[in-house]
Amino acid sequence: MSEILIRQAALLGGPKSDLAIKDGMFVDPVDLDPSARGTQLIDGEGLVALPGLVDLHTHLRQPGMEQAETVLSGSQAAAAGGFTAVFAMANTQPVADSVGVTDMVHRLGQEAGYVDVRPIGAVSKGLAGEELAGIAGMAGGTAKVRVFSDDGHCVSDSLLMRRALEYVGTFGGVIAQHAQDPRLTEDAQINEGALSSRLGLAGWPAVAEEAIIARDILLAEYTGSRLHLCHLSTKGSVDIVREAKAKGARITAEVTPHHLLLTEELTASFNPLYKVNPPLRQDDDVQALREAVADGTIDIVATDHAPHPSESKECAFDEGAFGMLGLEVALSVVQKALIEPGHLDWSGVARVLSQTPAHIGGLAGYDNPLTVGAPAHLTLVDPAALKDVQMRYTRSGNNPYGHLQLPGEVRHTFFRGVHTLADGRIVPADELPGVAK
C-alpha cells in the first residue's frame, strides 16, 4: 500500500498540520520521506481535515430495488460526500429481517470497497409490525448487526416495541424508531397546518411524531435498553427529548440535513421532490432542530438518503414516493445550516457526523480520529468552495437541493487509508486495491 502525506490541512478546522497515512493507519509524518518514490503528496492548504463521516441512516435499496440504488452506487455516493461508513436500512426486497439478507448486504459492501457498509436489521418480520424478526440470528451473523429498525414504518404496537427493546438489551443493541403514529397520519401528505388546508392536501400533525417519541422514551426507561429516535422534525419532539435527557433517559436522537434547511413552503409547488417522511415543517421547527444539535439534545445528523426511480417522483404529489437524496450533499447542508449561523464549529461537525454515530452503531475505529495509530478514515473538505449540488453517483434523481447554491466541497476521502475520492472524483472501482475484500 502506498504512503500518503497531506501537507498543512486544518485539523478539525483548527491549527494546520501534516497528516501521514501508511498501511491504512495514521502514522507520524516524520516517519515518511516525502521524496521517496511512491509517496503521494496532497496539498492540504485551505482544506479542513475531518474524520471519515458515518451515516447511521441510509437506504441502499439492494436487494430488490436496484433500479433506484445498489450497494455499489450508494457506496460511491457516500464516498463522494465524505463518508467512510454507512448503516443500510432494512426496507429492502426481501426485507433485511434475517441473517441471510443482512450478511449479503454486508458482503456486497465489502466487495464494493468504498465504505464500511453496516446492515440494519428489521425489528419485525417483513416490517409488518406483528412478530419480531430474527434479531438473534442477525446479531450473531457475519455482519454482527447491532442496530434494528423498521424505518419507513413505525413499530406502533407497544408490546412488540417493549419486547424488541428487551431483546436487544441482552447484547447491547439499539432500536432505531421511525416515530409515526399510523392512525394519525393516514393519507397524510405534508405538514398539518394552514398550508395543508390551503393546498387541500391531507395534513401530517406534529403530535403523530411526538406521541410515539414520548411512549418509546417511557418504554426505554422501563426496559433499561437503548433507544435511538430517527429523523426528528418538530419543535415539540425536541422539547420531549430535551426533558427526557435532563432526567437521565438513555436515548439518542438524529436529525436529517433536509429538516435542518428546508421548510414546508417548498411543497406549495406540488413538486414530489419535496415529499418526505416525516414532512418538511415550519421555520420555527427548523430553528429548534438547529439549536437542539448545538446544545446536544440531538446527538447526530443522519442523511435518510432515500433514492427513488424517476417514475416515483415524476407524478402527481399525492402519488409520489416519500424520500430525498442526501449522501453527496450532507456536509454542505450542515455547513450552511449549522456552521455558518454559528451553531457548530468543525469539531462539532466531527462529533455529530462521525464519532457519535459510530458510537451509537457500535462501529470501531472512530474513537480517536486523526491520531497516530488510528485507522485512516479521513475527509478533506474545501469550505470556501461552492457546491455543485448535482448528484453524480447515485442512480436516482430525487434531489431537493437543485434550486440552491451550497457552500463547501469534499475534495478527498480516504477509507482505511485507501483513496476513494480524489480531487472531487470517485476513484474507479477497478483501481481500488481490494479494501476488506
Side-chain angles (χ1 to χ4, degrees):
M1 185 174 290
S2 64
E3 299 177 351
I4 302 148
L5 183 61
I6 300 147
R7 292 288 202 191
Q8 295 298 288
L11 305 189
L12 304 179
K16 295 178 182 177
S17 181
D18 293 344
L19 282 166
I21 297 171
K22 182 178 181 180
D23 296 334
M25 309 292 284
F26 287 114
V27 299
D28 194 322
V30 301
D31 292 337
L32 292 191
D33 179 2
S35 63
R37 184 176 181 181
T39 299
Q40 181 184 2
L41 299 178
I42 294 176
D43 182 6
E45 189 67 37
L47 303 182
V48 171
L50 298 172
L53 308 185
V54 177
D55 188 21
L56 198 68
H57 192 148
T58 296
H59 297 272
L60 293 181
R61 303 304 193 202
Q62 191 176 12
M65 293 173 282
E66 288 83 357
Q67 73 277 23
E69 197 76 287
T70 65
V71 172
L72 174 60
S73 66
S75 295
Q76 291 177 328
F83 290 91
T84 54
V86 299
F87 285 74
M89 280 294 176
N91 58 342
T92 50
Q93 296 175 1
V95 171
D97 58 3
S98 66
V99 66
V101 179
T102 54
D103 280 0
M104 181 187 71
V105 171
H106 185 243
R107 175 179 54 77
L108 289 171
Q110 289 180 309
E111 291 173 354
Y114 287 91
V115 295
D116 195 352
V117 175
R118 310 300 302 182
I120 291 176
V123 173
S124 67
K125 291 183 178 179
L127 306 178
E130 298 174 350
E131 184 179 358
L132 284 181
I135 290 175
M138 291 185 276
T142 303
K144 300 187 183 309
V145 178
R146 290 294 178 271
V147 183
F148 296 85
S149 178
D150 276 1
D151 185 63
H153 301 268
C154 177
V155 182
S156 60
D157 184 301
S158 300
L159 180 58
L160 190 74
M161 187 63 176
R162 172 186 171 176
R163 298 299 184 219
L165 286 164
E166 290 173 336
Y167 210 113
V168 300
T170 63
F171 58 88
V174 58
I175 298 295
Q177 173 67 296
H178 173 119
Q180 176 194 351
D181 186 302
R183 290 282 287 155
L184 291 174
T185 55
E186 289 180 356
D187 301 321
Q189 299 291 315
I190 64 171
N191 181 49
E192 182 176 275
L195 182 63
S196 64
S197 297
R198 177 162 63 85
L199 298 179
L201 293 173
W204 189 304
V207 71
E209 175 177 307
E210 295 157 6
I212 295 295
I213 287 175
R215 183 205 70 176
D216 287 352
I217 289 172
L218 293 173
L219 287 172
E221 290 175 330
Y222 185 71
T223 60
S225 297
R226 294 169 58 210
L227 169 70
H228 178 73
L229 298 162
C230 296
H231 42 52
L232 265 61
S233 70
T234 76
K235 182 178 182 298
S237 295
V238 168
D239 292 339
I240 294 168
V241 171
R242 182 177 287 122
E243 181 179 356
K245 283 192 168 186
K247 294 179 179 177
R250 195 181 180 199
I251 58 172
T252 52
E254 71 183 36
V255 64
T256 70
H258 46 270
H259 287 109
L260 287 170
L261 188 65
L262 308 178
T263 66
E264 65 169 358
E265 293 300 323
L266 291 166
T267 60
S269 66
F270 289 100
N271 187 338
L273 280 178
Y274 305 116
K275 183 174 179 178
V276 68
N277 178 351
L280 300 178
R281 304 289 188 178
Q282 297 180 334
D283 185 64
D284 61 342
D285 295 301
V286 170
Q287 296 307 316
L289 293 166
R290 291 180 179 187
E291 292 166 6
V293 177
D295 69 18
T297 300
I298 291 178
D299 303 85
I300 66 170
V301 176
T303 70
D304 196 8
H305 174 81
H308 288 289
S310 58
E311 60 269 24
S312 296
K313 288 293 188 178
E314 295 174 357
C315 55
F317 193 91
D318 60 355
E319 297 174 356
F322 292 96
M324 299 174 169
L325 299 177
L327 285 170
E328 295 182 52
V329 76
L331 192 56
S332 290
V333 175
V334 165
Q335 183 175 339
K336 184 173 181 64
L338 297 177
I339 293 182
E340 290 187 351
H343 296 297
L344 286 183
D345 56 17
W346 287 106
S347 178
V349 171
R351 172 172 52 81
V352 303
L353 268 170
S354 180
Q355 292 164 274
T356 304
H359 178 72
I360 294 170
L363 186 63
Y366 291 83
D367 292 338
N368 300 295
L370 309 183
T371 60
V372 172
H377 304 308
L378 173 66
T379 299
L380 294 171
V381 57
D382 179 359
L386 292 177
K387 174 68 178 176
D388 169 10
V389 294
Q390 298 304 307
M391 307 293 185
R392 292 176 291 171
Y393 297 102
T394 176
R395 287 191 169 190
S396 294
N398 50 308
N399 171 15
Y401 304 107
H403 63 296
L404 297 175
Q405 188 174 63
L406 295 174
E409 181 78 43
V410 177
R411 297 297 191 199
H412 301 273
T413 306
F414 292 87
F415 169 49
R416 297 181 190 161
V418 172
H419 214 171
T420 55
L421 181 79
D423 290 326
R425 306 293 299 179
I426 280 291
V427 176
D430 59 4
E431 295 180 18
L432 294 182
V435 177
K437 291 178 181 178

